[in-house]
Amino acid sequence: MPWGVPMLAHLSDEDIRRYVAGMSSVETERHVRLCIFCAQRLGDAAQRAARWERRGILGRLVRIDYSQEIDELLAEIEEEQRHAA
């Protein structure tokens, strides 16, 4: 598919799921850049796929990384156990 030629149809739900999972194609990337409808659908799907939380003084919306949250909780527990010992 030559550059600048959009896909003939909007992205399917499967295309959106693959894109959010990080497995997009060049054609999908190009289409999302040109199609506001699919870009909006993709944005909505990506937002639903992640946990978001307001943080900081300004209450900025940030994506929560579960593995980072678990590591922080484990570090807090470990620190509390050291102080208790």
Side-chain angles (χ1 to χ4, degrees):
M1 174 188 293
W3 174 256
V5 177
M7 297 172 79
L8 297 176
H10 293 296
L11 297 178
S12 68
D13 290 340
E14 183 60 32
D15 292 329
I16 297 285
R17 280 192 291 276
R18 277 195 301 267
Y19 195 102
V20 170
M23 300 179 293
S24 66
S25 67
V26 173
E27 291 83 16
T28 302
E29 293 277 345
R30 289 178 184 158
H31 181 78
V32 168
R33 287 187 202 137
L34 299 173
C35 178
I36 194 158
F37 176 74
C38 288
Q40 182 67 46
R41 287 180 54 220
L42 179 62
D44 290 344
Q47 191 172 16
R48 285 189 308 271
R51 182 173 160 223
W52 298 85
E53 184 176 286
R54 296 217 174 261
R55 290 191 175 177
I57 296 171
L58 300 176
R60 292 187 175 151
L61 195 59
V62 296
R63 186 176 176 177
I64 304 302
D65 180 6
Y66 290 114
S67 63
Q68 180 183 355
E69 289 289 309
I70 291 170
D71 291 342
E72 289 174 7
L73 288 172
L74 289 173
E76 286 177 25
I77 292 169
E78 190 176 293
E79 186 67 28
E80 288 175 8
Q81 287 176 344
R82 275 193 227 135
H83 286 288

